[in-house]
Amino acid sequence: MRDEAIKKIFKVAQDEGRNFLYEHEAKELCAHYGMPITAIKIASSEDEAVKYADEIGYPIVLKIVSPQVLHKSDSGGVLINLKNADEIREGYNKILENVKKHVPGAVITGILVQEMAPNGTEVIVGSTKDPTFGNTLMFGLGGIFVEVLKDVSFRIVPIQQVDAAEMIKEIKAYKILEGVRGMPPADQEMLVKILMATSKMLEECPEIKELDMNPIIVYEKGARVVDARVIL
Ligand code: ADP
Ligand code: MG
């Protein structure tokens, strides 16, 4: 059963006439299903951004929150590795400037202040609705593995634990997840957990038309959903 908090996320988007969830809403949804997300806060002023950055701890990532900007880095709407209050203030204004230039007339809802996830193995989990089979679930490694090599695995939702484990092992680059050449292995138990949680979320939330968690950064122990996009 979905709880009220989940219903509310969709209702707010619906009431505002949006056909998508902002990153922080999509991440809240993921968190409700037990997925590990980055710490996040929405700032509506420079001072507030500094206050939240202090609370979360440095280094910090700042991102644009705007109904007109779905692909944030394309519009200069993502700044990573900000190390102190001065860099937060400068970054806050830089993002506003970048977005105004790239998307004239963009409405600025706020600036997302978030924990910077350390480096690790980048994976992506996604979903689209198939007219015949319903929700599909996709898994792959991030970056060129998906974009150039199309090295991904698919299942129809719902999946069981064995399906999740198979999806992970099926990709051609699986060896990378086991750890190669000084790169530590990735927490496959956590990946199974994330795939299962995503399947459950898709089953319980028919509002989701498309889902894209890109990237999820995975460590030897644990992971962080660093970006999430949901189309309704
Ligand atoms: P976009 O909307 O452009 O996909 P993302 O939120 O994915 O924006 O940010 C772009 C890139 O910045 C990510 O692919 C990732 O490499 C990096 N990044 C974003 N957020 C974080 C974070 N919290 N910690 C570490 N890296 C991040
Ligand atoms: Mg992204």
Side-chain angles (χ1 to χ4, degrees):
M1 260 298 286
R2 319 204 299 183
D3 63 25
E4 287 303 315
I6 292 174
K7 282 188 204 149
K8 193 172 161 221
I9 293 173
F10 291 114
K11 182 155 190 319
V12 168
Q14 196 186 12
D15 289 350
E16 290 178 11
R18 278 186 277 126
N19 72 333
F20 65 92
L21 299 183
Y22 290 125
E23 173 181 330
H24 61 282
E25 296 169 330
K27 278 179 168 172
E28 274 164 31
L29 187 62
C30 291
H32 277 298
Y33 285 90
M35 293 185 235
I37 61 164
T38 53
I40 43 175
K41 293 265 188 188
I42 304 284
S44 42
S45 71
E46 231 181 275
D47 286 342
E48 213 171 42
V50 170
K51 179 174 154 251
Y52 291 149
D54 285 339
E55 282 171 23
I56 292 170
Y58 292 92
I60 283 288
V61 176
L62 294 181
K63 300 185 191 180
I64 187 70
V65 186
S66 162
Q68 283 80 32
V69 184
L70 236 64
H71 297 275
K72 301 170 297 278
S73 44
D74 293 353
S75 309
V78 178
L79 290 177
I80 65 165
N81 206 22
L82 305 179
K83 294 192 195 70
N84 53 51
D86 286 346
E87 290 188 14
I88 297 288
R89 288 182 190 282
E90 202 181 309
Y92 187 97
N93 291 301
K94 184 81 197 155
I95 286 184
L96 296 183
E97 192 185 307
N98 288 347
V99 170
K100 277 179 194 145
K101 196 165 74 196
H102 282 91
V103 190
V107 176
I108 312 293
T109 308
I111 297 282
L112 188 55
V113 182
Q114 70 181 241
E115 165 199 3
M116 172 141 164
N119 286 333
T121 308
E122 294 198 359
V123 306
I124 80 170
V125 172
S127 174
T128 55
K129 270 199 205 302
D130 180 273
T132 311
F133 300 108
N135 293 316
T136 62
L137 188 59
M138 185 202 75
F139 171 78
L141 292 187
I144 60 156
F145 291 98
V146 168
E147 281 155 31
V148 183
L149 305 171
K150 313 277 182 227
D151 181 17
V152 293
S153 57
F154 285 97
R155 287 293 182 282
I156 303 296
V157 167
I159 59 162
Q160 305 304 317
Q161 194 141 337
V162 283
D163 303 314
E166 276 173 18
M167 280 183 87
I168 295 164
K169 293 201 169 70
E170 246 170 50
I171 59 168
K172 294 189 197 79
Y174 171 66
K175 273 203 174 128
I176 291 179
L177 295 174
E178 292 206 294
V180 284
R181 297 203 186 192
M183 281 171 69
D187 187 342
Q188 291 183 46
E189 228 172 90
M190 176 55 78
L191 284 177
V192 167
K193 198 180 148 196
I194 289 173
L195 287 167
M196 299 285 292
T198 307
S199 173
K200 183 156 190 262
M201 181 169 91
L202 290 165
E203 255 195 305
E204 291 187 357
C205 304
E207 295 92 340
I208 301 176
K209 188 171 157 209
E210 275 174 46
L211 165 73
D212 192 23
M213 291 185 271
N214 181 10
I216 301 170
I217 305 185
V218 194
Y219 308 104
E220 272 192 87
K221 203 95 198 93
R224 282 285 184 289
V225 177
V226 154
D227 182 26
R229 189 158 27 238
V230 167
I231 307 293
L232 304 171

